[in-house]
Amino acid sequence: MRLIFFILTALLTCLLVFILNRSWRSIPALGRFVSPQHGFWKNAERADLDPTERFNLEGLDGPSTVYFDERLVPHVIAGTESDVYFIQGYLHARFRLWQMEMQTFAAAGRTSEVVGVRALKFDKQQRRMGMVFAAQNMLLEAEKDPITKKAFDRYTAGVNFYIDNLSARELPLEYKLLGYRPEKWNNLKVALFVKQMAKTLASNEDDLALSYAKNYFNDAQLKILFPQTADSLEPIIPPNTIFAPASITPSKPSDIDSAYINNNHIIPLKEIDKPNPANGSNNWTVSGSRTKSGKPILANDPHLDLTLPSVWFEMQLSTPGANVYGASFPGCPGIIVGFNDYIAWGVTNAGRDVRDYFEIQFKDSTKSHYWFDNAWKKVDSLHIEAFHVKGSKVIYDTVAYIDQGPVMFDEDFEAGVSPGRAYAVRWTAHDPSNEMLAIRMLNYARNYQDYLNAIRHFLTPAQNFAFASVDGDIAIWQQGRFPARWDQQGVYVLPYVDKRYTWQGYIPQEENPHILNPARGYVSSANQQSVTPDYPYFIPGNFDLYRGIRINRKLAGMEAVTPQDMMNLQNDNFNSFAATAVPLFLKHLDTADLNEVEKRFFDSIATWNYYNEAELIVPTLFKLWYDSLETFVWNDQLKPLNDIGLRPKEETLVEALLRDSNFTYIDNVNTPNRETISDAITAAFRVAVVRLSTLKEKKGQTWGAYKNTTVYHLLGRAMLPFARTGLPVGGGTHVVNAMQHSHGPSWKMVVEMTTPKQAWVIYPGGQSGNPGSKYYDNFINDYAAGKYYKAWIMQAADKDDPRILSRYFFEHK
Amino acid sequence: MRFILSVLIILILNYVLGLFLPWWIIAIVGFLSGYLIVQATVKSVLSGLIAGFVLWSVLALFIDIANEQVLSKKIAGLFRLPQPWLMIIVTGFIGGLVTGMGALTGSLLRSFTQRPKSI
């Protein structure tokens, strides 16, 4: 009897340990997870300790020291470039390893290894888009250049030094939660990270969606719904700039009307995980002729999804050759946006279309041949992609590669409706390039010519590089690799039965839009079109409009500009879109039958100064009013486009109504009578008031509460306790302070080129990626309040400064 | 006296071995103490429960205080617990449960192997 008790109890105990030692669905192995000596408690950092650490290593050229200030910003004082990249790799891994790995897994289409089969479609698309292909091509190129080869090698060695010495108990929290371990870092992952940024910024064109729309609308209608250029455009390069004549004039094929413009047999292909169209930024530089100090001031705030940890990591890298400060990307070496002792630079997304699709016809399901030049041509290769999905057997996917690129959509992925028909993707991100060389050269640049030599290497994602130097030069250059297109080439999917529709060349770098020391005393960009239509190339893309207008208006009116003026402008909440739309709305609103509540809201919007302040209700009213109007106007006739998520831009609708109050789409085709603009605007107003009233009284109605600006953890809504929600900030789309629900200025920087340099910075996060650290999100409250931190640009003589809280000493063996 | 001693022994062994061995060593420690330390089964189980609970919850408490509740708040949120200090209770509970089950198993083995021989 006792034997039976013993056996049963023994089995029960083993079962208990087994259950607590395994992860189940989304619950981690509980026994290990809560053990104070093994689990999450090990990640709960002491708030009072700031340790000094010493490392004694082979492979270093000499001694180096890292000094951490009170914001945990590391100031790396190293003797050689090789050592500084090693240490940077180590620090990035030390504070952000999980983030680096997760982002490069996503780039490589490997998230299903960690998360399971629900991520498989995303992974398949990443590989078919050629993300790994692109990274491999970049790596080959980067390793040909001794400078970038050394940078990649040393950075990788630094990351691996951290990983190799990481015990299971010390793993970052997310590894414990998800139940896996980090793998070794390598140079390919650096390239994958850069390509992930390329996807984030240079894959937002609508070629597939517009091609599908051709089934329902003709080309003329689509030009009205999706115009290339807005009426009120203020381009990056000032109007009346003389452009050199185009050195390449591509020749249009003779059959474009039938084979291309009016060809509408495209099936509904929908990309998942398209980048946020608001991915963009502001930057501007004011010349010393207009600043109080007499030296240029540069400002930049890149707009990205706001995450914890932040995609940025602030640091200073100092070697005898260059002393650079700014924002770095955990995942690659160098300072990406920042300044050194001589120059400052910042970037905004160019938004140019650098990705086209080519339609082919496979001979059969083997995908080995496609119809080209009147014969069945063999594809270049067939890649077999393997997906090691967690909790499942290995899954394979075969992708054909032709000279244009990978055949992204075919019968095996999304395009099964029409047998054999497939779509290859031609993307500048696939082309061999060495963007990290551009970054390295910017870090070491001392003047305008150095800056020019540096950015030449930056092909994808194309950026508007703003520049300022201590010499007093200011400049902006839209830099990237751009195909020279004939008019309308690349707006839709292109036929590929012969070479006639392919890219015929690239716009020479000197012919890219640029300006140096303009008469107006400032340069600026906010993702708007770069030039007026008289620029001699067709340059389609996805552009913003109103932020650029506001920035130019403010800069033009400023005198004796100070850095505080620049910070105020980055925080500016004026809504230029509202300033354009509201007068139109009020003009056509029928106020005759408004009830009490409606009258009250009408008064508030009629007296609004168009500032999207967090505590006001009227910005919410405006947003709901516009959204309701948009639904009223588009929903009846643009219903077929809902499947592919295509919608005309907000400025397109408002500008169309301003041009023509009898705009054809106002009429609701489902009703017998013909609606007028007044009907539409009044109906929309009424709906908006009802929707506003149903939001929780007072708390849910203010713009800040409605927008509920949130910085999510990288794992998203599944990890809500790790997020920061309800930030009381204003701003919004079309506003310089581009704060949306979870997207906005991910880094803010203002640099004055005085001697010594002065810089003010902040980002919505913290230097540590550990949710158990007090440095995880400690910048967020100040960021929400619109504050900045004065960057401490450490000099070698400062090594005993009281600001230093801890040090890492690196000694060479 | 023996009871208090057994609690202390389990607690110290759990801690020391836990420094370099996997977390489930507490089940083994519980088992060994239940088998080797002569006391009634009930006392054996209780000593395992108490030692396991006290070690893990006290360690967690010290960590939590030094950490200023930064992490326990977030983990408690993930586990849908209304208060951060409940994480300390959960931690202690699991430590006590596993150690106690180990002790029960060991104690039952001892009482089985030391049963009076049949005549």
Side-chain angles (χ1 to χ4, degrees), chain A residues 49-101:
Chain A
L49 266 192
D50 291 296
T52 290
E53 299 197 19
R54 289 174 195 280
F55 305 95
N56 206 292
L57 304 167
E58 283 168 13
L60 294 177
D61 294 333
S64 304
T65 310
V66 182
Y67 301 89
F68 290 93
D69 64 27
E70 74 279 6
R71 290 190 297 119
L72 204 65
V73 175
H75 304 260
V76 184
I77 314 286
T80 65
E81 195 175 345
S82 165
D83 286 352
V84 93
Y85 289 137
F86 178 89
I87 294 171
Q88 184 181 29
Y90 177 78
L91 292 172
H92 277 175
R94 174 99 185 221
F95 293 104
R96 304 289 193 85
L97 177 63
W98 179 77
Q99 159 196 18
M100 290 165 71
E101 217 193 21

Side-chain angles (χ1 to χ4, degrees), chain A residues 94-285:
Chain A
R94 174 99 185 221
F95 293 104
R96 304 289 193 85
L97 177 63
W98 179 77
Q99 159 196 18
M100 290 165 71
E101 217 193 21
M102 201 64 205
Q103 288 174 328
T104 49
F105 266 52
R110 293 178 59 192
T111 52
S112 50
E113 282 179 40
V114 176
V115 167
V117 73
R118 59 190 158 100
L120 182 60
K121 186 165 172 188
F122 169 85
D123 284 348
K124 274 189 177 168
Q125 188 181 268
Q126 291 285 88
R127 308 257 189 113
R128 278 170 168 269
M129 190 189 299
M131 293 291 288
V132 181
F133 174 62
Q136 287 165 340
N137 291 345
M138 164 183 260
L139 186 61
L140 272 172
E141 205 59 23
E143 292 194 334
K144 282 185 198 157
D145 185 306
I147 292 180
T148 44
K149 166 109 177 93
K150 196 86 198 274
F152 276 48
D153 284 347
R154 297 301 292 149
Y155 182 83
T156 293
V159 176
N160 283 330
F161 173 57
Y162 177 73
I163 295 177
D164 290 342
N165 291 302
L166 197 57
S167 67
R169 297 160 196 251
E170 324 269 66
L171 284 175
L173 184 65
E174 290 88 349
Y175 288 106
K176 294 178 181 172
L177 275 167
L178 294 171
Y180 70 115
R181 303 198 51 144
E183 60 180 33
K184 269 184 109 75
W185 188 263
N186 54 43
N187 288 355
L188 182 66
K189 290 182 189 237
V190 176
L192 280 166
F193 183 89
V194 177
K195 291 309 173 184
Q196 186 66 7
M197 290 316 291
K199 180 194 169 192
T200 300
L201 297 171
S203 71
N204 196 31
E205 78 303 316
D206 287 315
D207 303 359
L208 295 175
L210 283 174
S211 301
Y212 177 67
K214 273 199 286 168
N215 283 302
Y216 300 94
F217 302 93
N218 62 38
D219 183 63
Q221 288 172 314
L222 289 176
K223 283 206 171 70
I224 292 176
L225 293 170
F226 305 100
Q228 282 296 326
T229 307
D231 295 339
S232 46
L233 167 71
E234 275 201 34
I236 296 173
I237 307 304
N240 306 319
T241 303
I242 310 292
F243 299 116
S247 57
I248 304 181
T249 30
S251 52
K252 258 188 213 192
S254 50
D255 60 346
I256 71 166
D257 281 332
S258 57
Y260 174 59
I261 301 283
N262 298 317
N263 172 347
N264 64 355
H265 62 74
I266 311 296
I267 52 194
L269 292 172
K270 194 169 173 205
E271 263 182 273
I272 53 169
D273 190 58
K274 269 210 88 80
N276 192 319
N279 283 344
S281 324
N282 306 320
N283 67 13
W284 60 84
T285 313

Side-chain angles (χ1 to χ4, degrees), chain A residues 3-35:
Chain A
L3 176 62
I4 294 173
F5 277 148
F6 160 68
I7 291 175
L8 273 173
T9 313
L11 286 174
L12 220 63
T13 305
C14 290
L15 185 66
L16 179 66
V17 170
F18 172 75
I19 290 174
L20 293 175
N21 200 40
R22 257 199 64 153
S23 57
W24 301 90
R25 287 281 174 87
S26 53
I27 302 175
L30 268 186
R32 187 168 47 229
F33 189 70
V34 305
S35 163

Side-chain angles (χ1 to χ4, degrees), chain A residues 2-3 6 9-10 13 17 20-21 30-32 34-38 40-41 44-45 47 169 719 721-722 771-772, chain B residues 15 18-23 56 60 63 66-68 70-71 74 77-79 91 98 101 104-105 108-109 111-112 115:
Chain A
R2 287 180 198 174
L3 176 62
F6 160 68
T9 313
T13 305
V17 170
L20 293 175
N21 200 40
L30 268 186
R32 187 168 47 229
V34 305
S35 163
Q37 296 175 296
H38 304 82
F40 77 87
W41 291 109
E45 286 177 21
R169 297 160 196 251
M719 295 285 168
F722 288 14
Chain B
Y15 176 73
L19 288 174
F20 52 94
L21 290 174
W23 72 274
W56 276 25
I63 292 174
N67 178 240
E68 293 175 0
V70 166
L71 188 55
K74 297 182 174 104
L78 271 188
F79 279 68
T91 299
V98 175
M101 281 299 286
L104 176 62
T105 308
L108 285 178
L109 180 63
S111 72
F112 167 69
R115 70 195 186 289

